[in-house]
Amino acid sequence: VDVIWDNVREFPKRALNPGGHLTVFAVIPGLDDEACEGFYDMPIYKQYPTLEGQIKYWNLPETYMPTPYATDDYQTIPFDYFYVILYLDDMQALIPLDTAFVQPRLMEDLEELMSYFDFELNTEMYGCDAQYVMKVWDGGLLYHTTPPPPDEETKLGGSTYTYNNWGGVNATDALAIQLMVGGVNDINGAPWNYNWVGVNTLSPYYGYYSYRIADVNTSDLFGTTGITALDALTAKYRAVGLLGSYPHNGAGNNQFSPNFRVTGRMVDSLPEITFPMPFDSLNVPDVPFTHSGTDYMYFSYAIDHQYTSAPLPWEGAANYINLYYEAIGDVNASYVPPGSGLKAEPTVTLTYEGMFSAYVGEELTIPVNVDRDAEVGAITLSFNYRNDLIEVLGTNFGDDDMFINHEEGVLNMAWFSTDGVEYAADETVAQIKIRVLAEIPADVELFELNLNTELADVTANPIDVDLKTIGVSTDKGLNVTELVAGNYPNPFNNATTISYTLPESGSVKVDVYNNMGMLIATLVDEVQDSGVQEVVFNTGDTQAGVYFYHITVEGEMNTYSAVKRMIVVN
């Protein structure tokens, strides 16, 4: 058999380029010295190797990063893309080869993969041993129907998706970071089950990606000095809203860190799900990405916030890569980035039971209760409230654990502890002190839960618990029969404030009992007016344990009673 291939390449680029002709001439001897002979001529097409990938968020469903995203800056609705640039690494400099504009394909019947990009690798020009590097960033403010060159200066960082849509970090993540601070080795095993986090024997420990997610103040660039309790506290501060951006202590004089971390993972095909396999820089398929280190501020340019990869471990054939974004601090990888104009719903529900009767100008305390027994290690409560009808004056959470923005009507509270607290069904976990600003109809719900609301156990795993509260109305014709009470702080060691709202004036008695039913103290025994009342219980020589306070009201119209539990600790 004679084979001839002229190997002529007629075009320099794109897949399926002509590569000449192949001619096969064969002679097959016969049994009687008769031979069969013939030839076959066929065109040959050459293909460059390709590098293809997707941009995703690191969570269980591997959510596609939602772009384009409409922003409303300066009364415009521009489009926002993710950009991916492929570079040739010639050891002297990075040479840009091609740019991909990445946006999701939202229709199921489209052939293109969602958030998909691809590059063709010119092995004829650069050889089969060439090294490649990739950069990715969120495109920013664009005044075009199609994406302009990526260096155009109209793309402000503050208009990017990744600047405006950081989220998903709450007290559960702060608790998880605190557990990592304590050196939990097998946090990826029972009972924590953070399967996507490596063990603390890795370098950096817990894996380079999880370490960077937990090191929220970027105090340790090399993973040697450790994640600290300050990271847990900082994550909680930002979850509450006390911090607008994380500090960037590890990069010279930088003050503000980016909102996200990025890493890559080589995969066998697209689409391919790799969650929850931990990332480890020693594994060849895992590709670390490093942020530029530029201060993450509104008027910096989006292009300044590129994430640059380590050299890609491509193998000279069709290669695939997933690029994963994750919000800094989102250790439990639970965030699902919302799309343009969409509101992600919280997994916790808030129901209203009963009604307060109030008047304009009155101050009263609204309880938030759990609907079932639960051991709680982290509480994150995030509300929008009707700031046209009420003003939130404070809560039973400390100043470092809450954030009130009356202009926007936002109330956030967060708390975590590795010790945990036992709550009984219908027990109060939060109290919100409000002032009535205007007439409130009986059918108006003053508070609405936001996405970040979550309760978790001491292993930093979300628990199935819902919340209950009470309505407020200025309609004096209502038949109000609720006596609502709660105490804060709870647990406590020296003193706690018992707050209760009387539906009407009457003779009030507040007694404290131990868990054996013995009377410990009588705190109130007098006639009081309707509305919010408070009394302080000082523990004195009271031993640690569970106690109950019993409130009774003999009103002019009705008799009311409530029993609540409180915990004294050493």
Side-chain angles (χ1 to χ4, degrees), residues 84 133-136 208-209 212 261-265 287-291 306-310 312 321-324:
V84 181
V133 167
M134 186 177 288
K135 293 189 178 185
V136 61
Y208 74 91
Y209 194 45
R212 297 290 176 234
R261 303 292 189 204
V262 176
T263 197
R265 170 164 285 161
V287 184
F289 277 68
T290 304
H291 185 260
Q306 296 176 334
Y307 295 82
T308 303
S309 75
L312 302 175
I321 186 171
N322 286 334
L323 302 187
Y324 292 106

Side-chain angles (χ1 to χ4, degrees), residues 500 502 504-510 524-529 533 551-554:
Y500 50 97
L502 303 178
E504 61 175 286
S505 301
S507 179
V508 179
K509 194 172 185 180
V510 180
V524 176
D525 189 1
E526 64 185 20
V527 174
Q528 293 183 331
D529 294 331
Q533 302 289 343
I551 304 174
T552 57
V553 182
E554 294 290 340

Side-chain angles (χ1 to χ4, degrees), residues 76 85 134 141 156 174 255 265 270 275 296 318 351-352 390 449 465 526 542 560:
T76 63
I85 297 183
M134 186 177 288
L141 192 63
L156 295 178
Q255 298 180 21
R265 170 164 285 161
L270 293 179
F275 186 92
Y296 210 69
T351 58
Y352 286 77
I390 63 171
L449 287 179
V465 61
E526 64 185 20
T542 305
Y560 310 88

Side-chain angles (χ1 to χ4, degrees), residues 160-450:
T160 64
Y161 184 88
T162 53
Y163 184 93
N164 286 294
N165 289 273
W166 175 90
V169 178
N170 55 30
T172 305
D173 297 294
L175 176 58
I177 294 173
Q178 186 64 47
L179 292 171
M180 295 167 74
V181 171
V184 175
N185 179 44
D186 54 346
I187 196 171
N188 55 4
W192 304 277
N193 296 321
Y194 275 53
N195 309 105
W196 51 94
V197 178
V199 296
N200 64 4
T201 55
L202 295 174
S203 180
Y205 56 89
Y206 298 115
Y208 74 91
Y209 194 45
S210 296
Y211 187 92
R212 297 290 176 234
I213 298 298
D215 181 26
V216 298
N217 64 3
T218 323
S219 61
D220 181 18
L221 292 179
F222 304 103
T224 57
T225 61
I227 308 164
T228 69
L230 181 59
D231 291 301
L233 187 63
T234 304
K236 187 196 70 171
Y237 281 169
R238 189 158 189 210
V240 169
L242 297 174
L243 287 176
S245 179
Y246 285 125
H248 203 278
N249 300 328
N253 296 321
N254 294 67
Q255 298 180 21
F256 304 105
S257 84
N259 289 333
F260 292 82
R261 303 292 189 204
V262 176
T263 197
R265 170 164 285 161
M266 306 302 293
V267 292
D268 295 328
S269 62
L270 293 179
E272 183 172 329
I273 303 293
T274 65
F275 186 92
M277 185 191 304
F279 288 94
D280 182 358
S281 57
L282 298 180
N283 292 334
V284 172
D286 293 340
V287 184
F289 277 68
T290 304
H291 185 260
S292 64
T294 302
D295 273 348
Y296 210 69
M297 303 181 71
Y298 187 94
F299 287 102
S300 61
Y301 293 129
I303 198 170
D304 293 336
H305 296 286
Q306 296 176 334
Y307 295 82
T308 303
S309 75
L312 302 175
W314 80 289
E315 298 177 352
N319 280 254
Y320 307 95
I321 186 171
N322 286 334
L323 302 187
Y324 292 106
Y325 275 70
E326 188 173 7
I328 296 178
D330 184 22
V331 178
N332 69 352
S334 62
Y335 185 50
V336 176
S340 174
L342 301 178
K343 179 181 178 181
E345 296 296 328
T347 56
V348 179
T349 62
L350 177 68
T351 58
Y352 286 77
E353 296 182 355
M355 184 72 65
F356 276 154
S357 178
Y359 56 84
V360 176
E362 183 177 5
E363 296 181 4
L364 61 155
T365 300
I366 306 297
V368 180
N369 303 330
V370 291
D371 68 338
R372 67 202 72 178
D373 295 350
E375 181 187 21
V376 179
I379 299 174
T380 307
L381 303 177
S382 181
F383 299 96
N384 285 115
Y385 67 88
R386 289 290 301 269
N387 57 349
D388 57 330
L389 300 179
I390 63 171
E391 177 186 4
V392 174
L393 303 176
T395 74
N396 60 315
F397 285 67
D399 292 341
D400 289 346
D401 300 328
M402 71 172 179
F403 173 74
I404 303 171
N405 184 339
H406 182 68
E407 183 178 350
E408 300 292 334
V410 173
L411 169 64
N412 296 327
M413 293 172 276
W415 165 90
F416 70 93
S417 172
T418 55
D419 295 329
V421 175
E422 294 280 351
Y423 285 99
D426 297 321
E427 190 166 356
T428 300
V429 295
Q431 292 179 313
I432 307 171
K433 189 173 184 178
I434 69 168
R435 178 186 292 117
V436 179
L437 301 178
E439 299 291 343
I440 304 175
D443 59 346
V444 170
E445 296 181 351
L446 296 176
F447 295 91
E448 179 185 14
L449 287 179
N450 287 328

Side-chain angles (χ1 to χ4, degrees), residues 45-67:
Y45 298 91
K46 293 181 179 179
Q47 287 184 307
Y48 282 131
T50 60
L51 181 63
E52 306 171 38
Q54 292 179 273
I55 298 178
K56 303 181 180 184
Y57 189 83
W58 181 246
N59 56 24
L60 179 61
E62 295 198 1
T63 311
Y64 300 100
M65 290 297 286
T67 175

